[in-house]
Amino acid sequence: MRTLVLYSQSGRVPEIAQALADELSNLGHQVQLMEAESSGTSRISCGRYDLVVAGSPVEGIFGGKVAGDIDLSLKRCNRLEGKTAAAFVQPALFGTTKALRQLMELMERQGALVRDFATLSTPDEARKFAGSLAKLTPL
């Protein structure tokens, strides 16, 4: 299974994304980690991936928003139509559920089928989530 983990560079998300990617690799996935960019203009082709995972911290004064870099990067993704997808956020005191819904909505607007989601605070939680993701589609 080929998996893309697209993640925001904000907060502890890079550390969480790395743990997720490492565990997915241990479970037999070919994983590509990709940092979200707030200034890029080139398209991100998701056609070769079986699973696309996006991650962001919860941002905003009262929470409820995803990071700008993941927002812009997801809008540059193409060939997401019908792809199995998952989303995760690094929670905050307020707005975690709202931010997670926003992230899933961004992916679904591009045609992705978000089949799993989570709030992840630690690398250990990311490793457990990887086990759940591994069951989404067969290797």
Side-chain angles (χ1 to χ4, degrees):
M1 159 116 34
R2 293 170 306 229
T3 301
L4 172 65
V5 178
L6 178 64
Y7 64 95
S8 173
Q9 298 178 50
S10 301
R12 293 187 60 208
V13 175
E15 177 186 0
I16 293 167
Q18 183 66 57
L20 181 65
D22 290 346
E23 187 63 22
L24 285 169
S25 291
N26 290 341
L27 295 169
H29 290 240
Q30 295 174 352
V31 181
Q32 179 180 353
L33 276 170
M34 182 181 293
E35 292 178 348
E37 298 176 353
S38 56
S39 61
T41 57
S42 61
R43 302 296 292 166
I44 299 169
S45 178
C46 298
R48 65 180 171 202
Y49 301 105
D50 303 302
L51 173 64
V52 177
V53 182
S56 173
V58 175
E59 294 191 340
I61 294 172
F62 294 105
K65 295 183 181 183
V66 297
D69 59 355
I70 197 74
D71 181 15
L72 292 172
S73 292
L74 282 171
K75 289 176 180 172
R76 292 189 355 251
C77 286
N78 62 8
R79 299 184 65 199
L80 263 175
E81 299 83 11
K83 291 286 177 192
T84 299
F88 72 89
V89 294
Q90 177 194 349
L93 190 56
F94 299 107
T96 299
T97 301
K98 186 175 177 184
L100 188 54
R101 273 188 291 206
Q102 181 186 20
L103 183 57
M104 291 187 295
E105 184 178 304
L106 284 169
M107 298 179 83
E108 289 169 346
R109 277 191 207 146
Q110 299 293 88
L113 303 173
V114 179
R115 296 188 50 207
D116 206 351
F117 55 89
T119 58
L120 304 175
S121 300
T122 67
D124 283 340
E125 290 175 353
R127 286 187 276 278
K128 289 177 186 172
F129 185 51
S132 171
L133 296 179
K135 298 174 187 172
L136 289 180
T137 53
L139 290 175

